[in-house]
């Protein structure tokens, strides 16, 4: 086991691609390469030779760089077994509970359907790092493009169960827009309002708000709080089933 060096690359409008370097073995992974050129250029600048691609799901803004990166480096592509026909160049097929290695660093794979039917997340416990694609965003969650609330809510709970100090390396800088919505859900959440001020200040300076800490998501992200009584009360659904409450909050966001 070993801790990773993590390098964040902003690409396209608002995507983040991550380079993960394991210093002992020199293994280097790329999480969700939307594009190839900036990723290959950053790896080159850092002197890191890419050995693996880790894909969370099949969307083009997460796998768009796969083919060219494989062609340039000969790296292995790790993705969900159920999505093997939709992940370009997949060579290592994984499922819930599997462990993968990046040199000496080990990650656990979680199956987290909802945004897509085959979405997975990678958790590196030694690095306190969670790569969750479009499942959890800072103050948000992915749209339910292929899944249902009854799938997404357990997926979010599975990730929420990780330690508070876990850094949430999501795939998009959506945080300011997510705050604009979240504040309409939980007007009386003081932690949310304080976080929102910090987010707006950061964005005003052009600073990134990702990664966030899972502990702060637990306190402020409305999509992780469908079973918290104060959120249920805030949406007028005290005592109701968390899946129904999650459905309501996700529906409000879709119409926001
Ligand atoms: Zn997506
Ligand atoms: Fe995406």
């Amino acid at each position: 086991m070993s801790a990773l060096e993590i390098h964040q690359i902003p690409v396209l409008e608002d995507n983040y691609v991550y380079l993960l370097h394991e210093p002992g073995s020199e293994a280097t992974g790329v999480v969700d390469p939307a594009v190839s050129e900036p990723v290959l250029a950053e790896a080159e600048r850092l002197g890191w030779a890419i050995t693996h691609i880790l894909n969370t799901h099949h969307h083009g803004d997460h796998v768009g760089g796969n083919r060219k990166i494989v062609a340039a480096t000969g790296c292995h592509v790790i993705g969900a077994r159920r999505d093997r026909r939709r992940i370009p160049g997949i060579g290592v097929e994984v499922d819930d509970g599997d462990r993968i290695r990046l040199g000496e660093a080990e990650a656990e794979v979680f199956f987290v359907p909802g945004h897509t039917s085959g979405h997975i997340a990678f958790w590196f416990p030694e690095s306190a790092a969670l790569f969750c694609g479009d499942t959890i965003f800072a103050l948000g969650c992915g749209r339910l493009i292929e899944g249902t609330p009854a799938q997404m809510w357990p997926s979010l709970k599975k990730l929420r169960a990780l330690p508070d100090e876990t850094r949430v390396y999501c795939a998009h800088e959506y945080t300011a827009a997510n705050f604009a919505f979240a504040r309409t859900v939980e007007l009386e959440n003081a932690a949310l309002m304080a976080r929102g001020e910090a987010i707006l200040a950061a964005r005003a300076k052009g600073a990134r708000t990702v990664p966030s800490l899972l502990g702060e998501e637990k306190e402020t992200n409305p999509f992780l709080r469908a079973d918290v009584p104060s959120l249920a009360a805030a949406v007028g659904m005290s005592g109701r089933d968390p899946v129904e409450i999650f459905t309501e909050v996700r529906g409000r966001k879709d119409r926001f």
Side-chain angles (χ1 to χ4, degrees):
M1 297 281 273
S2 167
L4 297 167
E5 294 171 33
I6 300 172
H7 185 76
Q8 182 177 36
I9 311 171
V11 301
L12 305 178
E13 287 274 285
D14 50 34
N15 275 77
Y16 289 125
V17 176
Y18 299 100
L19 282 171
L20 319 181
H21 185 67
E22 198 282 292
S25 66
E26 300 278 309
T28 298
V30 185
V31 181
D32 284 352
V35 290
S36 57
E37 274 82 19
V39 174
L40 291 167
E42 271 301 278
E44 167 98 39
R45 189 181 69 77
L46 293 160
W48 297 352
I50 295 170
T51 54
H52 297 79
I53 290 171
L54 289 69
N55 286 133
T56 63
H57 65 295
H58 71 91
H59 285 155
D61 63 319
H62 298 256
V63 304
N66 277 25
R67 294 265 185 226
K68 283 187 177 164
I69 293 171
V70 170
T73 65
C75 69
H76 304 285
V77 177
I78 303 171
R81 176 165 301 119
R82 323 166 191 247
D83 266 346
R84 64 180 175 274
R85 294 184 214 298
R86 305 199 287 186
I87 305 282
I90 190 169
V92 183
E93 299 176 5
V94 296
D95 211 334
D96 192 53
D98 285 351
R99 285 164 199 278
I100 58 137
R101 299 187 73 85
L102 205 55
E104 298 299 307
E106 191 175 65
E108 185 170 346
V109 174
F110 298 109
F111 177 47
V112 286
H115 176 63
T116 66
S117 59
H119 203 299
I120 56 175
F122 299 92
W123 177 47
F124 288 86
E126 286 266 293
S127 301
L130 174 68
F131 298 90
C132 56
D134 292 355
T135 297
I136 299 178
F137 295 126
L139 286 182
C141 78
R143 283 188 299 130
L144 305 186
I145 296 175
E146 297 174 0
T148 63
Q151 291 175 308
M152 187 62 147
W153 173 244
S155 294
L156 294 171
K157 273 206 301 185
K158 197 186 290 187
L159 300 182
R160 190 185 65 175
L162 298 175
D164 284 359
E165 64 271 21
T166 306
R167 283 201 166 71
V168 180
Y169 290 90
C170 65
H172 294 274
E173 178 66 58
Y174 288 162
T175 319
N178 286 341
F179 172 63
F181 169 72
R183 69 186 306 170
T184 68
V185 176
E186 265 197 297
L187 296 166
E188 281 163 35
N189 183 336
L192 172 61
M193 296 308 160
R195 186 179 176 193
E197 280 184 32
I199 287 163
L200 297 178
R203 295 306 293 154
K205 291 187 300 186
R208 299 169 192 166
T209 63
V210 175
S212 59
L213 280 173
L214 189 57
E216 64 183 341
E217 299 302 335
K218 294 177 191 179
E219 296 303 317
T220 56
N221 185 329
F223 299 99
L224 298 185
R225 295 169 58 76
D227 57 357
V228 173
S230 57
L231 185 135
V235 297
M237 295 178 74
S238 291
R240 300 275 286 278
D241 185 282
V243 172
E244 285 180 65
I245 295 171
F246 173 75
T247 304
E248 168 65 20
V249 176
R250 186 61 251 179
R252 288 188 191 186
K253 175 70 162 66
D254 292 341
R255 296 186 295 272
F256 184 68

